[in-house]
Amino acid sequence: MQTVKDLAQIIYYLALSIAGPLALIVYLVERKANRQEREHKTYDELDNRFFEYQKLALEYYDLDILDVPNSDPSLAFDKKRKQEMVAHAILFSLFERAYLMFSHEGKEFRLRQWSGWKYFLNDFLRRESVRTAWQMSKQTYDTGFQAFMDKNIADIGSKPVKAPIAQAPQVARAAPAPPEVLSAQAR
C-alpha cells in the first residue's frame, strides 16, 4: 500500500511540475495574442479614419490638407497632379495595411495572398509618379513598411521592365514571402 501511495505522490509531483510551466506558457502566449489583437484593432480603426480623411483630401485636392504640402503657392500642383498624389497616398495606405496584416497571418495563407499583392505593388512601383509620391510621403508610414518599399523600389530600379500587369502571366501561389514579413511575424 505504501508503494502505491509513493507512486501516486511521484505521479502527482511530476504532473504538477509539467502542468505548472505549461500553464504559464499558455498564459504568456494568450497574453501576447490579446495584446496583438488590441494593437491590430487600434491600427485598423485609425487606418479606417485616415482612409476617410484621404478620400476627403482627394475630393478637395485644392486644399493643403494631405502630405503633399503647397509650401509655395506659385509652384502649386495642378489639379490632376495633386489628385494623383493623393490617390497614390491612398494606395500606399492600402499596401501598408496589407503588409502589416499579412505579416501576422499563417505562412500558407501569407504565401497565397501576399504574392498577388506584391506583384501588383511591384508593377505599380515601376511608375515614376508613384516613386515620386512615395518619396514625398513615406515618413508617414510604418517604418518596417518604409524599409520594405524602399527595398522594392531599389530592386525594381535594377531589374529590366516586365510586361504590364494586364499582359503578365498568372501569379504563382507559392511565391516566397518577403523577409520583412517573416521577421515581423517573429516579433
Side-chain angles (χ1 to χ4, degrees):
M1 185 64 154
Q2 182 64 25
T3 307
V4 172
K5 186 178 175 182
D6 290 342
L7 188 58
Q9 244 182 348
I10 290 172
I11 292 172
Y12 170 76
Y13 287 127
L14 277 174
L16 192 59
S17 66
I18 293 172
L22 283 178
L24 180 61
I25 290 170
V26 167
Y27 168 75
L28 292 174
V29 167
E30 283 295 316
R31 194 171 115 190
K32 181 179 180 182
N34 288 340
R35 181 184 50 81
Q36 286 178 335
E37 185 178 332
R38 283 191 313 272
E39 288 173 357
H40 174 73
K41 285 173 90 173
T42 300
Y43 171 79
D44 199 41
E45 182 62 31
L46 289 172
D47 196 52
N48 284 334
R49 303 291 178 169
F50 183 60
F51 190 67
E52 291 298 318
Y53 181 77
Q54 288 174 317
K55 288 194 294 187
L56 187 66
L58 185 58
E59 184 177 346
Y60 298 102
Y61 65 89
D62 53 334
L63 301 177
D64 191 16
I65 61 174
L66 198 63
D67 43 7
V68 184
N70 291 339
S71 56
D72 183 357
S74 67
L75 300 175
F77 288 118
D78 64 18
K79 175 183 176 180
K80 292 293 183 189
R81 177 86 169 123
K82 180 77 172 190
Q83 287 175 321
E84 181 180 83
M85 297 295 280
V86 173
H88 290 329
I90 291 171
L91 197 53
F92 294 147
S93 291
L94 182 61
F95 278 118
E96 178 189 39
R97 177 177 267 188
Y99 172 84
L100 294 173
M101 296 305 114
F102 287 138
S103 68
H104 298 294
E105 295 297 331
K107 183 179 180 181
E108 186 177 314
F109 178 81
R110 188 176 56 248
L111 289 175
R112 279 193 332 263
Q113 295 296 315
W114 180 246
S115 63
W117 281 91
K118 187 157 180 355
Y119 182 82
F120 178 58
L121 175 64
N122 288 343
D123 189 60
F124 186 62
L125 289 175
R126 289 186 189 350
R127 302 175 190 170
E128 184 63 35
S129 64
V130 173
R131 292 189 303 269
T132 300
W134 173 250
Q135 292 306 318
M136 293 179 77
S137 66
K138 73 180 184 178
Q139 291 76 20
T140 62
Y141 298 96
D142 176 81
T143 55
F145 181 66
Q146 288 178 34
F148 169 76
M149 288 286 286
D150 288 341
K151 180 185 178 304
N152 277 333
I153 289 171
D155 288 348
I156 287 170
S158 65
K159 293 180 183 176
V161 177
K162 295 180 182 177
I165 196 163
Q167 299 173 358
Q170 187 173 6
V171 178
R173 293 220 173 241
E180 297 82 8
V181 172
L182 296 174
S183 67
Q185 185 180 17
R187 283 185 242 160

